[in-house]
């Protein structure tokens, strides 16, 4: 691994090797949130903040059986939604976000989740991370990269971002990753890094010894 400052070209080359290794490791990497429509994925992603995918996957079937459309959700008494999503945490704020997003989808987009970044970002409770999950996994569009806490940590440890060690600036990390990773890989790499972060490279005690990415990682054995 380079000990001196790495050129942009060298970083891109190393990033390509990491992407190739990730394809071998996690050929099916995608969101673990179960969904049958863009609306279901959008709401599941809103619910997943500060929660686990397992918990969300238990909550959403009940929610979607009871409320089948954005209009039904936007007009529901908030306490009915709160009761269903309670176990996912922050249930009052999440109910507000769900109802706000559904109201705008109903009023401005004819009940359909918009399929572009600009319109998605006008929905209450939706930032780039959520929009990227929906665009990538529900619409098959690579407009950006999902950057959550795992991707931020992995991008930093793998030195794929120019952000500092303690940077929590997801937008900057996303921009850096998009600069060195080919566009068609954006959706895949976001999810593959999340899987790798959960399975091999958690915040504490990363398993560098058994990590397939170690030979491309400047932090191997040094975290
Ligand atoms: S080598 Fe270690 S720090 Fe680098 S990605 Fe693998 S587990 Fe994480």
């Amino acid at each position: 691994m380079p000990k001196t400052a790495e050129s942009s070209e060298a970083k891109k080359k190393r990033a390509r090797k990491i992407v190739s290794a990730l394809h071998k490791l996690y050929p099916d990497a995608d969101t673990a949130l179960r969904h049958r429509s863009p609306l279901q994925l959008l709401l599941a992603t809103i619910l997943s903040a500060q929660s686990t995918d397992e918990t969300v996957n238990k909550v959403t079937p009940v929610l979607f059986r009871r409320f089948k459309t954005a209009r039904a959700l936007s007009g529901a008494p908030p306490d009915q939604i709160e009761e269903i999503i309670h176990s996912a945490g922050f249930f009052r704020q999440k109910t507000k976000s769900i109802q706000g997003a559904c109201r705008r989808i109903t009023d401005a987009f004819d009940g359909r989740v918009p399929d572009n970044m600009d319109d998605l970002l006008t929905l209450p409770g939706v930032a780039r991370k959520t929009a990227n999950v929906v665009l990538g996994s529900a619409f098959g569009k690579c407009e950006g990269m999902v950057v959550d806490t795992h991707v931020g940590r992995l991008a930093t440890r793998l030195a794929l971002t120019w952000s500092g060690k303690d940077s929590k600036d997801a937008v900057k990390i996303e921009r850096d990753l998009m600069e060195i990773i080919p566009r068609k890989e954006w959706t895949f790499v976001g999810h593959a890094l999340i899987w790798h972060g959960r399975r091999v490279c958690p915040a504490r005690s990363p398993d560098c010894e058994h990590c397939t990415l170690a030979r491309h990682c400047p932090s191997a054995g040094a975290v």
Side-chain angles (χ1 to χ4, degrees):
M1 281 311 315
K3 297 283 183 224
T4 51
E6 187 178 30
S7 71
S8 184
E9 269 321 298
K11 200 182 276 293
K12 275 188 189 166
K13 207 168 152 193
R14 194 166 56 82
R16 278 200 294 275
K17 289 181 184 162
I18 290 171
V19 173
S20 163
L22 287 171
H23 270 293
K24 286 188 192 126
L25 274 174
Y26 311 115
D28 303 320
D30 198 353
T31 177
L33 296 169
R34 289 199 206 108
H35 61 280
R36 289 185 181 164
S37 67
L39 180 65
Q40 290 191 357
L41 182 55
L42 172 72
L43 302 184
T45 309
I46 290 173
L47 284 168
S48 70
Q50 313 287 326
S51 187
T52 65
D53 292 348
E54 291 74 25
T55 301
V56 174
N57 284 339
K58 282 183 195 151
V59 163
T60 46
V62 184
L63 184 69
F64 301 146
R65 223 171 13 246
R66 181 88 165 268
F67 304 103
K68 296 196 180 352
T69 62
R71 183 181 294 280
L73 273 159
S74 63
D79 61 333
Q80 288 187 13
I81 298 174
E82 287 173 6
E83 192 185 332
I84 296 170
I85 70 166
H86 193 277
S87 61
F90 300 95
F91 59 93
R92 288 204 181 89
Q93 184 50 47
K94 287 181 183 176
T95 296
K96 277 199 188 102
S97 296
I98 285 171
Q99 291 202 287
C102 285
R103 205 161 291 131
R104 178 146 175 83
I105 288 167
T106 305
D107 295 345
F109 301 108
D110 208 17
R112 290 171 195 276
V113 176
D115 65 352
N116 65 83
M117 181 65 80
D118 287 347
D119 286 342
L120 278 167
L121 292 179
T122 69
L123 305 179
V126 174
R128 284 192 65 90
K129 188 191 105 183
T130 300
N132 278 324
V133 171
V134 172
L135 287 169
S137 295
F139 292 114
K141 288 184 167 184
C142 287
E143 284 198 30
M145 284 190 68
V146 176
V147 176
D148 72 348
T149 171
H150 297 291
V151 177
R153 183 176 68 255
L154 267 286
T156 305
R157 286 180 178 171
L158 287 162
L160 295 178
T161 171
W162 284 265
S163 294
K165 205 170 156 200
D166 300 321
S167 174
K168 303 254 186 285
D169 186 344
V171 173
K172 163 133 183 48
I173 292 171
E174 183 187 359
R175 214 169 36 230
D176 287 349
L177 290 173
M178 286 160 64
E179 206 177 307
I180 56 171
I181 291 170
R183 183 174 190 134
K184 65 180 171 48
E185 304 286 3
W186 289 351
T187 300
F188 166 78
V189 171
H191 291 295
L193 287 178
I194 291 171
W195 286 26
H196 199 65
R198 286 180 178 154
R199 297 172 189 195
V200 183
C201 189
R204 287 178 193 196
S205 310
D207 187 5
C208 300
E209 202 184 325
H210 300 106
C211 177
T212 314
L213 305 183
R215 82 184 87 141
H216 311 300
C217 178
S219 307
V223 181

